[in-house]
Amino acid sequence: MLVKLILFGLICTTWIFIILMGRWMPWASAVVILFVIMFGYMMMVTAAMVHHKRKQRKKPVEMDMTYLPKISVLVPAHNEEFVIEGTVQTLMALDYPDYEVLVIDDRSTDNTPQKLQKLVKEYGDRLRYHVRSVGSMPGKSAVLNEALGMTDGEVIAVFDADAYVEPDYLRRIVPFLAEDCVGGVQGRKVIANYTHNWLTRCQNYEYSMDSYFQCGRDTIRGAVEFRGNGQLVKRQALEDVGGWNELSLTDDLDLSTRFHLRGWDIRFAHKVLVWEEGIVRLPALLRQRRRWAEGSLTRYLEFAPRVFTRENVSLRTRADLIAYVIEFLFPIWMLSDYLYLSWHFLTGEVHKLHMLSSLFVLPVLAIFFYTMLLIAIIRFNRPAILHAIWGAMMTSFYLIIVWVPVAYWVTAKMLLQKERSMNWGKTDHGIAADG
């Protein structure tokens, strides 16, 4: 109920702001002001990244390669018969002195149990798997909380059942945790089957843009977020925040915010890669993005009061929260502004400059995000320039047809539903599973 009230309040505040802007400053658009705020924030982060890169070239920061804590690797699996074998083989080949692997079978109804039994025979005591009992709390967070008590690693590594990493993954990413204030680190996610179709290519480029912004956040020690697959967290930090939230649709995003609320830093290791399978069909992708959007917006609204009242929350973290809530509400804000303008246009009361300034936002916004995409694609994928230009154009279209409808749908759903839905919208892995 609190989340619903806060969301309703934000939408009402949006309308009030738009109406007041129309009366006090009839030549300006509220959307323009909102865009300027977003643009300024992004430019600040970009400038910080450029400065950090120059600083690193002059005086590189040396990582503490002697920090080698025991790691417990957890792999939640529910009906993952098509991918679990390859993932386990990858993790068993990790070059790290002290780690354990535990696969948690979350009541699978396919051949996942048989696959795991075969793998245990192959690897012996080096690999363990646990089958959850019928009636257990559903969801990845519940799986991870249950598995936590079965391990003793100082650091917990979480991988999805479709993950693939190089043997040196842990050796390269663990040093980011050496500082006492750092509670977790996230590797850069890459789509393994990005050549399958246009949808998987767009997902890979979307991940590139997300990595670009994550790098910016990491540069300013802002609110870096976990991405679920390929994340490492210190057990001390995890226990400090009370483990994973079993009522969250997005365990990684929820955990990220709670880490920041308790004063723990999260780092982003952009040179350490974890590959995962992209979704090859649009309906399945929309289901996944619906869950991501709903979980993301819910945790922002739930934690907003604490973010702005806790003394140990940095100004950078608060700025991140504001920026990303604004980003999510931008489609709603823009639609509200156009509805307001349309009404006054029909009644003959709208100021021409107001109309022009609002319409001007669309091409400027398109150019802005296209430029960010292009920079990210070039930085992380290194394609030929013509391929990068076309990829950025294709991904821009993809983001419009995926994220804009999802934003409207999730907002309406959260306002109208009587109680929170716990429909996890699990992603099916394996090409055979998708088609």
Side-chain angles (χ1 to χ4, degrees):
M1 179 59 71
L2 177 61
V3 169
K4 187 181 295 188
L5 288 174
I6 294 175
L7 181 57
F8 182 74
L10 283 173
I11 294 174
C12 289
T13 302
T14 297
W15 271 96
I16 292 171
F17 185 73
I18 289 171
I19 292 171
L20 292 177
M21 281 290 299
R23 291 182 178 179
W24 293 346
M25 302 176 68
W27 49 269
S29 167
V31 171
V32 173
I33 293 175
L34 185 63
F35 175 74
V36 169
I37 294 173
M38 289 177 59
F39 181 81
Y41 177 79
M42 295 303 179
M43 290 301 98
M44 178 192 71
V45 170
T46 301
M49 290 172 60
V50 172
H51 173 73
H52 179 73
K53 192 173 182 179
R54 289 177 178 173
K55 186 178 178 181
Q56 281 287 88
R57 280 200 296 261
K58 292 179 180 179
K59 189 178 180 181
V61 176
E62 294 186 6
M63 306 290 288
D64 183 2
M65 306 304 292
T66 63
Y67 179 69
L68 296 169
K70 180 177 181 180
I71 299 177
S72 296
V73 177
L74 305 183
V75 185
H78 176 70
N79 292 342
E80 304 287 8
E81 62 177 332
F82 295 109
V83 293
I84 191 62
E85 190 169 1
T87 297
V88 169
Q89 290 171 347
T90 293
L91 297 177
M92 298 307 298
L94 287 169
D95 175 23
Y96 192 80
D98 191 8
Y99 77 100
E100 59 180 343
V101 177
L102 172 62
V103 182
I104 310 95
D105 177 11
D106 190 16
R107 304 157 299 166
S108 296
T109 56
D110 63 357
N111 291 321
T112 299
Q114 290 79 4
K115 295 275 187 179
L116 290 173
Q117 290 169 9
K118 174 187 171 183
L119 289 165
V120 166
K121 289 180 181 178
E122 179 180 350
Y123 292 106
D125 295 338
R126 296 179 58 209
L127 172 67
R128 292 187 294 145
Y129 82 96
H130 167 69
V131 180
R132 302 189 75 209
S133 60
V134 176
S136 299
M137 178 75 176
K140 185 177 177 181
S141 294
V143 172
L144 293 172
N145 281 333
E146 187 171 321
L148 190 61
M150 305 176 187
T151 61
D152 60 358
E154 182 183 336
V155 171
I156 311 299
V158 179
F159 292 95
D160 288 344
D162 62 332
Y164 172 80
V165 294
E166 295 289 351
D168 62 351
Y169 185 87
L170 293 180
R171 282 190 179 274
R172 295 180 65 196
I173 200 169
V174 165
F176 286 86
L177 295 170
E179 292 183 69
D180 291 339
C181 64
V182 177
V185 58
Q186 174 65 52
R188 177 161 68 90
K189 297 206 301 181
V190 181
I191 298 296
N193 60 332
Y194 73 94
T195 60
H196 183 81
N197 60 18
W198 73 273
L199 202 58
T200 54
R201 287 188 182 91
C202 289
Q203 289 170 69
N204 191 52
Y205 292 151
E206 177 191 15
Y207 278 17
S208 295
M209 187 170 72
D210 177 70
S211 296
Y212 181 78
F213 292 134
Q214 285 269 70
C215 283
R217 288 170 144 185
D218 186 53
T219 299
I220 63 174
R221 288 298 180 99
V224 174
E225 294 180 327
F226 293 124
R227 290 293 180 253
N229 191 13
Q231 70 183 36
L232 276 71
V233 295
K234 288 179 179 175
R235 183 182 292 269
Q236 177 189 357
L238 193 57
E239 292 175 347
D240 184 43
V241 301
W244 284 274
N245 179 6
E246 298 183 5
L247 297 179
S248 172
L249 290 173
T250 47
D251 57 282
D252 46 1
L253 300 180
D254 181 275
L255 185 66
S256 303
T257 303
R258 288 189 291 123
F259 264 44
H260 291 300
L261 284 172
R262 294 291 296 176
W264 291 100
D265 277 352
I266 301 174
R267 303 299 309 279
F268 182 63
H270 70 277
K271 293 183 179 180
V272 188
L273 308 183
V274 53
W275 285 268
E276 67 181 34
E277 188 179 89
I279 299 175
V280 301
R281 299 193 182 277
L282 186 58
L285 181 70
L286 290 173
R287 287 195 300 271
Q288 183 195 63
R289 295 307 197 261
R290 186 277 308 168
R291 176 173 63 85
W292 287 6
E294 185 174 350
S296 180
L297 183 58
T298 298
R299 59 88 188 234
Y300 277 137
L301 298 178
E302 282 182 338
F303 292 120
R306 277 175 275 180
V307 168
F308 291 104
T309 57
R310 293 277 181 89
E311 292 183 357
N312 63 331
V313 178
S314 69
L315 181 60
R316 296 184 298 271
T317 300
R318 290 171 181 163
D320 262 354
L321 184 141
I322 294 171
Y324 280 82
V325 168
I326 287 176
E327 176 188 309
F328 190 92
L329 292 177
F330 195 87
I332 299 167
W333 196 310
M334 182 173 287
L335 177 62
S336 301
D337 193 59
Y338 289 154
L339 289 174
Y340 173 81
L341 287 174
S342 299
W343 170 256
H344 284 276
F345 178 78
L346 293 173
T347 59
E349 298 178 5
V350 68
H351 195 287
K352 290 183 179 180
L353 288 177
H354 190 173
M355 177 68 80
L356 288 173
S357 65
S358 205
L359 293 175
F360 182 67
V361 168
L362 284 175
V364 172
L365 186 66
I367 292 171
F368 171 70
F369 277 104
Y370 176 83
T371 303
M372 293 292 101
L373 264 170
L374 185 61
I375 293 171
I377 290 171
I378 292 173
R379 176 174 181 180
F380 292 116
N381 298 273
R382 305 292 181 182
I385 187 63
L386 291 179
H387 288 152
I389 291 172
W390 170 246
M393 189 179 301
M394 180 175 60
T395 308
S396 298
F397 173 75
Y398 153 87
L399 290 172
I400 291 172
I401 65 172
V402 171
W403 280 111
V404 173
V406 164
Y408 289 135
W409 166 250
V410 166
T411 303
K413 178 177 181 287
M414 291 177 64
L415 286 173
L416 298 176
Q417 66 184 2
K418 293 183 179 179
E419 57 183 42
R420 184 185 304 180
S421 170
M422 294 307 292
N423 179 13
W424 301 90
K426 179 190 175 296
T427 302
D428 291 328
H429 294 139
I431 300 302
D434 279 321

